[in-house]
Amino acid sequence: MSRVRIVTDSASDLPQEIADELGIVVVPLKIRFGDDEFVDREELSVADFYRRMATSDVLPQTAAPPPGAFEAAFRSLAAEPDTSGIVCIDLSSALSATMQSAENAARAVEGVDVRVVDSRSITGGLGAMVIAAARAGAAGATVDDIVALVDDLSRRTRVYGTLDTLENLKKGGRIGNAQALLGTMLSIKPCVDLSSGSVEEAGRQRTRKKALAWLRDKVAADAPVESLTVIHGQCEDLPEFLDMLATVVDRSSISVNTLGAVIGTHGGPRVMGVCYQVRA
């Protein structure tokens, strides 16, 4: 049976086993530490990224995949006899040139319907859309059906995070409308809202514990929520945060994922975040 195939980028932080299970192709961004450049996930694991970031004198940077990387993915899928179309779902176009790269590649591929969709999201928010799209494709949904599904999920997706430092966001040029947070005291824990696809200031908490409580309260205010994922930058206080969340949602409904190198580059160490969809 023919089906629509799904492509995404490595900012989705999609576990490889899930990508393999659902036949999702993940096109990697590139990570740079000074003069050293790595292909995300292929040449630099998540664990290696955090080890390198902890010891590096320079902050990492990201680069969008070249159009050729997307074109190779599209052509490979188009060559498979059961492919009826391709939908490529990318991280927010407000944060990266990745979607533009995918669009350039799509124009170069003929003989198959390739659509590129702006998720207006990142990490677990993007990942949840990609998983839903892949399952819909496997169930027989058309390209138009899947584009409409992703558009709906994008409108309902919420992404909130608390950061230990704004240094990475500032130097990476992704500070967006959270610029005002730069003037706060070092002891303040900044909270950001990426639900629109760009970085927005969402609050300032005086302690880490209060910042985590703020995240919990965001989930509680929207409960019941769908596809709740906690994403973290190797946070030692993850168990405590999960205990906090368990007071407002069923613990078994929470997925946990380590923040990958792409978003970890801009968020810095010890990022804690929640990604979920509000009910329609």
Side-chain angles (χ1 to χ4, degrees), residues 77-254:
L77 290 177
E80 296 184 11
D82 64 341
T83 298
S84 61
I86 299 169
V87 176
C88 181
I89 310 164
D90 292 306
L91 83 155
S92 175
S93 61
L95 296 174
S96 171
T98 298
M99 181 178 167
Q100 182 180 350
S101 183
E103 288 177 327
N104 289 338
R107 286 191 283 270
V109 177
E110 299 178 351
V112 63
D113 188 0
V114 182
R115 309 279 184 91
V116 179
V117 183
D118 186 352
S119 72
R120 300 187 295 277
S121 194
I122 59 171
T123 189
L126 168 57
M129 295 179 215
V130 170
I131 290 170
R135 287 175 174 158
T142 66
V143 167
D144 287 338
D145 292 336
I146 293 173
V147 170
L149 170 66
V150 174
D151 284 343
D152 171 63
L153 293 175
S154 176
R155 285 191 293 271
R156 296 193 286 115
T157 295
R158 306 290 181 265
V159 180
Y160 300 103
T162 184
L163 315 176
D164 248 22
T165 175
L166 284 168
E167 197 64 20
N168 294 56
L169 266 183
K170 176 186 173 186
K171 289 194 173 180
R174 305 307 201 280
I175 193 74
N177 290 330
Q179 190 79 30
L181 286 170
L182 291 174
T184 60
M185 296 187 308
L186 292 177
S187 60
I188 296 293
K189 300 303 177 187
C191 299
V192 294
D193 179 359
L194 293 109
S195 304
S196 66
S198 59
V199 182
E200 305 279 351
E201 177 185 350
R204 313 174 191 192
Q205 302 298 324
R206 293 197 171 274
T207 66
R208 173 78 169 185
K209 187 172 182 180
K210 288 182 177 179
L212 296 182
W214 178 86
L215 287 176
R216 176 203 60 203
D217 292 345
K218 282 293 183 184
V219 176
D222 284 331
V225 301
E226 300 170 354
S227 303
L228 174 60
T229 300
V230 171
I231 47 97
H232 67 101
Q234 293 195 329
C235 299
E236 74 283 352
D237 52 0
L238 174 65
E240 290 87 343
F241 181 53
L242 292 175
D243 288 341
M244 294 172 73
L245 276 179
T247 65
V248 296
V249 296
D250 183 350
R251 180 71 170 262
S252 66
S253 70
I254 305 172

